[in-house]
Amino acid sequence: MADKYMELVNTGVTKKLAKLLGLPRPPRLRRYSPDAPLLPGPLLVLGASSSAQELSDTLVSWGLDVRRHDAGDAKLGGILLLLDEVDHPQALSSIMLTAGRALRKLLPGARVVSFSRPASADDEPAVAAARQGIDGVIRSLGREMRGGSTTNGIVLEEATTPVSTSALAALRFFFSGRSAYVDGQFLTVRNGEGALPADFSQPLAGKVAVVTGAARGIGAAIARTLARDGAQVVVVDMPQAGDSLAKVANSIGATTLQLDVTAADAAQQIMDHAIGRHGSLDIVVHNAGITRDKLLANMDAARWDSVIAVNIASQLRMNEAFLAAKLPNLRIVSLASTSGIAGNRGQTNYAASKGGVIGMVRSSAKLFAENGGSIAAVAPGFIETEMTAKIPLGTRTVARMVLPSLMQGGLPEDVAEAISFLGSDAAAGLNGQVLRVCGQSLVGA
Ligand code: NAI
């Protein structure tokens, strides 16, 4: 871990000193490596579901050591809560109290994941109460986890079960190191479409993926992650960023396209390049983005308009062209931000654009689905980049205090992992979702 503070509070004498002084000690997160096991130890499955046996067989086929009872002192790598058939708040008691007793046995980097159903106005009151209560349980438990462990939930709409393709894909994502910085979040599975990859270490094999704003920062991390996951990548950025763009491309065998995403023909240029050079266009990651922060009282038109133009208007225009081209199974993943959910002082323009991304994603889901495609967004919180590394240590430590369980910012790679997952065919049933990668930041929780 590059961060000196984290190194100090987690090693040797300084670790003991930090413990004595009660200083926050951010845990090392369990991040993805293709060779690492899916969970750091056995999985305890609690609760009942009609799909329990089929699910258990699948989990065993993934190499997991599945236990149906919590016996002895054996350490655990995760807990799976089957809550999809819970129909009264009182039915949660025994499952949650059993889970509670097992929490002390969790290994660092463990995962707690639930399956549940969405609460709807059409449900019986007791059923809706139980379902909505699960939302509160998972978000609260996330705040109680230690050692870099996380808690997330999968909500199954009526047509789906825990063994639907996208439900299983979401489960693998949450179990794996890919979700290291996703905590206290839910993914809703809308349908069972899509297919699990033949090789879980190459989920994007054969796909052509375009990443905008890929010359540096989060965009460069996304390009590297998509390439690692098997995609042929096209990296896009402004002509001024040409040198850095070429370096990113050379390191991963990508091709480059120098392009301002606000250009009227940006989508056409992307389609021409991807299809002309690589034969298809399967994934587009709208990552290019800018900030021009000012209090609204001091805001000028240039600041306001440029942020809207780059961060949202360009995406709306490009998506319209992609839809008109009827590209089959096209997956779009867009960058939102927790600022677009919770708001942020000095960022009215940015929040309008990022809230706009969320609105666009929700409303475009049905349009992309018509050709077998999907659209989703990732909303990053506090991501530690070269920029945040320059923030004084004291200020950075305060920033981490709104991250009560993981006590650290995320890395660009954490955002990239979520994007690669949402861009995969197995995630097709998660169409229209917005996933926060924010370490369960209290901001806009
Ligand atoms: P960055 O400023 O390091 O990189 C953005 C890239 O986009 C640059 O290479 C830039 O040249 C390119 N770009 C800007 N305008 C463009 C245009 N008109 N056409 C083509 N390329 C253009 O930004 P960072 O931090 O890597 O952020 C990437 C995305 O993630 C942005 O959408 C940002 O809003 C979002 N985000 C970032 C967070 C963070 O903590 N860094 C938090 C939440 C969201």
Side-chain angles (χ1 to χ4, degrees):
M1 184 61 59
D3 191 293
K4 281 204 185 76
Y5 178 82
M6 189 171 309
E7 202 63 55
L8 282 173
V9 297
N10 278 308
T11 35
V13 185
T14 42
K15 175 178 172 179
K16 283 189 191 139
L17 189 65
K19 222 171 170 178
L20 262 173
L21 294 173
L23 291 176
R25 288 188 303 131
R28 285 198 178 84
L29 303 188
R30 178 172 67 90
R31 291 197 162 87
Y32 177 74
S33 141
D35 308 324
L38 193 53
L39 285 174
L43 174 72
L44 176 63
V45 181
L46 298 175
S49 165
S50 316
S51 313
Q53 190 53 52
E54 199 182 340
L55 180 61
S56 181
D57 293 346
T58 304
L59 297 172
V60 170
S61 77
W62 288 352
L64 292 172
D65 174 357
V66 178
R67 316 253 167 108
R68 283 297 271 163
H69 300 283
D70 179 25
D73 295 328
K75 293 283 184 196
L76 294 170
I79 303 174
L80 177 60
L81 302 167
L82 302 177
L83 306 175
D84 52 308
E85 290 171 14
V86 170
D87 58 2
H88 194 287
Q90 285 171 336
L92 284 170
S93 171
S94 77
I95 303 171
M96 292 317 302
L97 295 176
T98 309
R101 284 191 294 275
L103 288 177
R104 288 183 204 289
K105 299 178 196 165
L106 288 181
L107 290 158
R111 301 285 191 260
V112 177
V113 182
S114 67
F115 277 118
S116 61
R117 296 279 176 194
S120 113
D122 299 327
D123 294 333
E124 293 288 324
V127 172
R131 292 176 172 182
Q132 195 62 44
I134 291 165
D135 188 278
V137 166
I138 296 303
R139 291 179 197 277
S140 302
L141 184 52
R143 301 208 191 292
E144 295 179 13
M145 302 298 279
R146 293 287 171 262
S149 299
T150 61
T151 303
N152 292 289
I154 300 166
V155 178
L156 303 163
E157 288 206 340
E158 291 310 324
T160 64
T161 72
V163 289
S164 296
T165 302
S166 292
L168 290 174
L171 186 60
R172 269 195 82 98
F173 171 73
F174 282 142
F175 278 172
S176 79
R178 289 176 183 270
S179 67
Y181 201 61
V182 182
D183 198 3
Q185 304 304 311
F186 287 87
L187 280 169
T188 299
V189 183
R190 299 252 153 82
N191 58 54
E193 285 170 18
L196 289 174
D199 174 356
F200 284 115
S201 69
Q202 293 278 290
L204 304 182
K207 301 292 178 187
V208 178
V210 172
V211 184
T212 68
R216 66 179 198 203
I218 294 174
I222 296 168
R224 284 193 292 270
T225 302
L226 298 185
R228 180 204 66 194
D229 285 347
Q232 167 62 56
V233 177
V234 178
V235 288
V236 174
D237 212 300
M238 301 283 276
Q240 303 88 288
D243 288 349
S244 333
L245 192 65
K247 274 190 197 131
V248 173
N250 290 340
S251 69
I252 57 170
T255 55
T256 61
L257 175 60
Q258 294 186 8
L259 170 73
D260 181 338
V261 294
T262 63
D265 65 344
Q268 195 56 53
Q269 288 199 51
I270 286 173
M271 287 188 282
D272 288 349
H273 180 104
I275 297 166
R277 298 277 292 271
H278 306 296
S280 68
L281 176 58
D282 305 298
I283 302 165
V284 176
V285 182
H286 289 307
N287 165 78
I290 58 170
T291 49
R292 296 287 183 270
D293 297 358
K294 269 281 175 208
L295 294 177
L296 185 60
N298 304 325
M299 186 73 70
D300 54 71
R303 281 193 170 83
W304 184 279
D305 293 342
S306 58
V307 167
I308 300 293
V310 176
N311 294 6
I312 178 69
S314 70
Q315 298 189 19
L316 286 165
R317 191 182 310 110
M318 284 190 272
N319 286 356
E320 216 170 286
F322 295 140
L323 283 167
K326 297 193 187 303
L327 300 173
N329 308 323
L330 179 64
R331 317 229 169 269
I332 306 271
V333 191
S334 195
L335 266 288
S337 162
T338 48
S339 295
I341 298 171
N344 198 13
R345 189 179 143 85
Q347 291 201 317
T348 48
N349 51 352
Y350 185 72
S353 72
K354 294 299 185 180
V357 165
I358 295 171
M360 173 191 77
V361 162
R362 291 191 177 138
S363 123
S364 308
K366 56 186 178 304
L367 304 176
F368 282 98
E370 280 170 21
N371 292 303
S374 59
I375 181 166
V378 168
F382 177 40
I383 301 301
E384 310 232 15
T385 56
E386 284 162 39
M387 187 181 73
T388 56
K390 289 181 192 138
I391 300 174
L393 186 60
T395 319
R396 239 185 305 155
T397 306
V398 171
R400 286 172 181 150
M401 283 162 71
V402 295
L403 304 159
S405 142
L406 302 181
M407 291 181 274
Q408 60 198 286
L411 297 180
E413 288 70 21
D414 297 324
V415 179
E417 296 287 7
I419 285 173
S420 179
F421 164 60
L422 290 169
S424 68
D425 282 346
L430 304 169
N431 194 10
Q433 301 282 295
V434 178
L435 180 63
R436 289 172 57 141
V437 178
C438 69
Q440 211 186 15
S441 166
L442 294 178
V443 175

